[in-house]
Amino acid sequence: MRSVSHIVFFAGLLCATQSVCAQLQVTSPVINEVHYDEVDKTEAAEFIEIYNPTDAAISLEGWEISGGVDFFFPPASRIESGAYLIVAQDPATIASKFRRNGALGPWSGRLRNSGETLNLRDPDGAVVSVVDYQLGFPWPTVGDLVGGVSPSIQLMHPALQTDLGGSWRSGRPTPGVRNVVYSEEAPPQVRQVSHIPAEPWANEPVVITAQVTDPDEVSSVVLAYQVVRPGSYVSRFLKYDQNGGVNLDPEFEQGWVSLEMRDDGEAGDEQAGDGVYTVTVPSNINRNRYLIRYRITAEDRNGNAVVLPYEDDPQINFAYFVYNGTPSWQGAIGEGDAPVTFSGELMSSIPTYFLLSKSSWVDDSQFGGYGGSEYLWPGTLVYEGKVYDH
């Protein structure tokens, strides 16, 4: 799980439509796909795919991949125009698992699941394509099986900037062929989603901002929020079944309230036309022990839209938790002993964890109903102001 509380998120955009991309001169190969998290850890199936979007074959002799892994392309290496080249952790595994022969490798080093930097360098050492993927938004989510396959991260279009998370999506691995996420018309891309204050108190307004860009102009940016009240927990899922499957709870999609985000220098927006869209969640919404979830939908003037976080993210919303501090606590060592009161200030000085869930699920998990599989009951964890939802 990852935090959605006060981290600033980054993504970016170089082009969004075929007409825009056609104006860009892509003059070198690009890192086009990275398969870095194979669920079966005994299988050396990781790979990096290079794509040549130029109109000419390119010699790769003297080129290298550096960073998390190191690989020097062997003499006489080349990549044809419009072709894909696979650099593999183990070429034999790629041939057997994906039925793709001709992969280069193996490499030295490793692709960490928590994040890594990959540089494609030409013979002069210049970086012509770089990917610095990370764990969590704005980078797409991988790791969990999709249709029985561990997904990879894939560039939506070769003209997009490879070091920006918003240029990528996750999907079934496609070594040697066009990415399944390929699109000639990308939706708006978002830089910096954040809320201030990071740990709001009751009756305090919360300002949410998102920097949104699109060469076809941004048509609208809309925030939708959901209020989860104490004792009325709403989950994305119903209880997990014994086989690890889940059923979506229809109640989760109810009660969302939409607010327009603005970039006109009004209503809390600091500067008009700077691409930073702003909205303020009213103070009366933010009450003590309330969980506020939110999502953002951005659309361009061609009707291309994206909902953030991405659809494939298991944590499909951002969130913050309103809390006025740990209250005082009173207890006695034994029956008949005088109670001792510990102040809220003292209680707040030690780590405090919050588990938000349905009371019946908490009771079942502690006092019965356990079926032999882990994590049968959904919930939300809050620690140091960070919200780990779903």
Side-chain angles (χ1 to χ4, degrees):
M1 294 183 294
R2 59 177 172 75
S3 165
V4 294
S5 176
H6 66 283
I7 297 176
V8 176
F9 306 105
F10 298 91
L13 177 68
L14 196 59
C15 71
T17 66
Q18 183 176 14
S19 60
V20 174
C21 289
Q23 300 173 14
L24 299 173
Q25 298 299 317
V26 184
T27 59
S28 64
V30 298
I31 299 174
N32 190 59
E33 182 175 359
V34 183
H35 184 48
Y36 66 82
D37 189 1
E38 178 62 46
V39 169
D40 185 352
K41 303 308 179 187
T42 67
E43 194 171 37
E46 297 181 352
F47 66 83
I48 301 166
E49 181 187 79
I50 310 299
Y51 174 66
N52 180 8
T54 74
D55 57 5
I58 295 176
S59 171
L60 296 178
E61 185 167 352
W63 289 55
E64 67 172 309
I65 297 175
S66 66
V69 301
D70 292 294
F71 177 78
F72 290 90
F73 289 84
S77 297
R78 61 187 283 115
I79 183 169
E80 301 298 326
S81 172
Y84 303 86
L85 184 63
I86 304 165
V87 179
Q89 180 183 16
D90 178 51
T93 301
I94 300 303
S96 62
K97 183 178 180 67
F98 298 108
R99 302 188 185 281
R100 294 293 172 185
N101 296 314
L104 302 179
W107 60 52
S108 61
R110 66 191 183 99
L111 299 178
R112 295 181 301 172
N113 295 345
S114 59
E116 198 58 82
T117 298
L118 298 172
N119 302 293
L120 178 62
R121 298 180 181 272
D122 66 16
D124 295 325
V127 177
V128 300
S129 182
V130 59
V131 179
D132 55 352
Y133 69 85
Q134 301 167 18
L135 179 64
F137 182 85
W139 290 89
T141 301
V142 300
D144 295 334
L145 290 174
V146 177
V149 179
S150 303
S152 64
I153 59 170
Q154 305 173 20
L155 198 60
M156 286 191 293
H157 193 284
L160 293 173
Q161 196 166 334
T162 58
D163 64 344
L164 297 174
S167 301
W168 300 75
R169 294 292 188 271
S170 67
R172 174 180 51 81
T174 57
V177 297
R178 175 181 282 188
N179 294 338
V180 294
V181 304
Y182 178 88
S183 175
E184 291 284 2
E185 296 196 4
Q189 304 240 356
V190 180
R191 307 165 184 257
Q192 303 177 355
V193 175
S194 65
H195 62 260
I196 299 175
E199 302 178 47
W201 286 56
N203 300 315
E204 188 174 16
V206 174
V207 178
I208 300 176
T209 60
Q211 186 174 357
V212 187
T213 58
D214 193 297
D216 294 315
E217 297 186 19
V218 176
S219 173
S220 66
V221 181
V222 177
L223 178 134
Y225 71 86
Q226 180 189 65
V227 177
V228 182
R229 296 170 175 82
S232 300
Y233 183 75
V234 177
S235 173
R236 181 189 180 192
F237 304 115
L238 297 171
K239 182 181 175 182
Y240 289 69
D241 64 32
Q242 299 297 321
N243 298 318
V246 297
N247 296 310
L248 297 179
D249 188 343
E251 186 180 358
F252 174 73
E253 292 300 336
Q254 301 174 7
W256 291 82
V257 178
S258 295
L259 297 174
E260 179 186 8
M261 301 186 73
R262 305 170 61 162
D263 183 25
D264 56 5
E266 302 290 337
D269 182 59
E270 291 187 355
Q271 182 176 342
D274 63 353
V276 177
Y277 289 76
T278 304
V279 70
T280 300
V281 179
S283 58
N284 66 322
I285 299 298
N286 300 315
R287 300 184 182 181
N288 188 37
R289 299 174 57 224
Y290 275 30
L291 174 69
I292 310 297
R293 294 169 170 151
Y294 65 93
R295 303 183 291 203
I296 295 174
T297 301
E299 184 173 350
D300 67 19
R301 296 197 179 277
N302 290 334
N304 301 308
V306 63
V307 179
L308 304 171
Y310 306 129
E311 183 180 1
D312 65 353
D313 197 316
Q315 192 160 267
I316 60 170
N317 53 261
F318 308 110
Y320 61 84
F321 185 59
V322 183
Y323 194 59
N324 284 354
T326 307
S328 300
W329 182 82
Q330 187 178 77
I333 295 176
E335 185 176 357
D337 293 334
V340 178
T341 299
F342 299 90
S343 69
E345 181 180 6
L346 176 62
M347 297 299 296
S348 296
S349 70
I350 61 176
T352 304
Y353 298 83
F354 301 87
L355 175 61
L356 314 181
S357 191
K358 295 182 183 293
S359 60
S360 59
W361 291 347
V362 175
D363 289 343
D364 285 347
S365 69
Q366 298 298 311
F367 307 111
Y370 183 67
S373 298
E374 295 182 359
Y375 312 125
L376 297 179
W377 298 272
T380 299
L381 177 70
V382 183
Y383 177 59
E384 292 187 336
K386 301 180 181 67
V387 177
Y388 302 87
D389 211 356
H390 310 296

